[in-house]
Amino acid sequence: MIQLLPDLERKFEAFAEEAFQAKHLSDRDKALVALTVSMLTAGDEALRRAVVTAKQSMITNEEIGQVAGIVAVAQTARLTGREAAGSRGVEPAAQPECCR
């Protein structure tokens, strides 16, 4: 539907290109992010490609399983209204002076 607004589509494509470059992430981290996003949103073929990329980036089967578990808990938390999976048992880091 965004194709109906060519100017907006160009801006979105530029934004997506910049976001996916992920200059501040290692290739391994990019593969973990892609795997997580694929588990949350993609079809079977995109998920298969993400798993292959993850394996090529030296992500272990155990790490893939851990990501799958976190995704499953996060999706269940959304459905049940429970605490977000990412915050369970994690204490907030102390903020540096510049962020206060």
Side-chain angles (χ1 to χ4, degrees):
M1 294 291 229
I2 196 170
Q3 297 87 351
L4 298 173
L5 299 168
D7 189 47
L8 182 59
E9 182 181 21
R10 281 190 296 280
K11 290 176 183 177
F12 180 77
E13 289 298 325
F15 166 76
E17 182 66 31
E18 182 72 21
F20 283 117
Q21 285 182 13
K23 298 172 193 169
H24 303 287
L25 298 177
S26 68
D27 288 343
R28 189 174 193 283
D29 289 342
K30 289 177 193 178
L32 280 169
V33 170
L35 179 64
T36 304
V37 171
S38 292
M39 287 181 180
L40 286 167
T41 64
D44 291 341
E45 181 56 27
L47 178 56
R48 187 193 69 74
R49 286 192 311 268
V51 169
V52 168
T53 299
K55 297 294 286 180
Q56 291 171 341
S57 298
M58 306 305 293
I59 295 170
T60 66
N61 288 339
E62 292 79 10
E63 290 170 311
I64 292 169
Q66 185 75 58
V67 170
I70 291 167
V71 167
V73 170
Q75 289 178 321
T76 303
R78 266 180 74 193
L79 294 173
T80 63
R82 292 188 178 159
E83 180 180 335
S87 64
R88 188 174 298 157
V90 177
E91 293 296 320
Q95 290 185 343
E97 287 295 318
C98 65
C99 299
R100 293 185 188 168

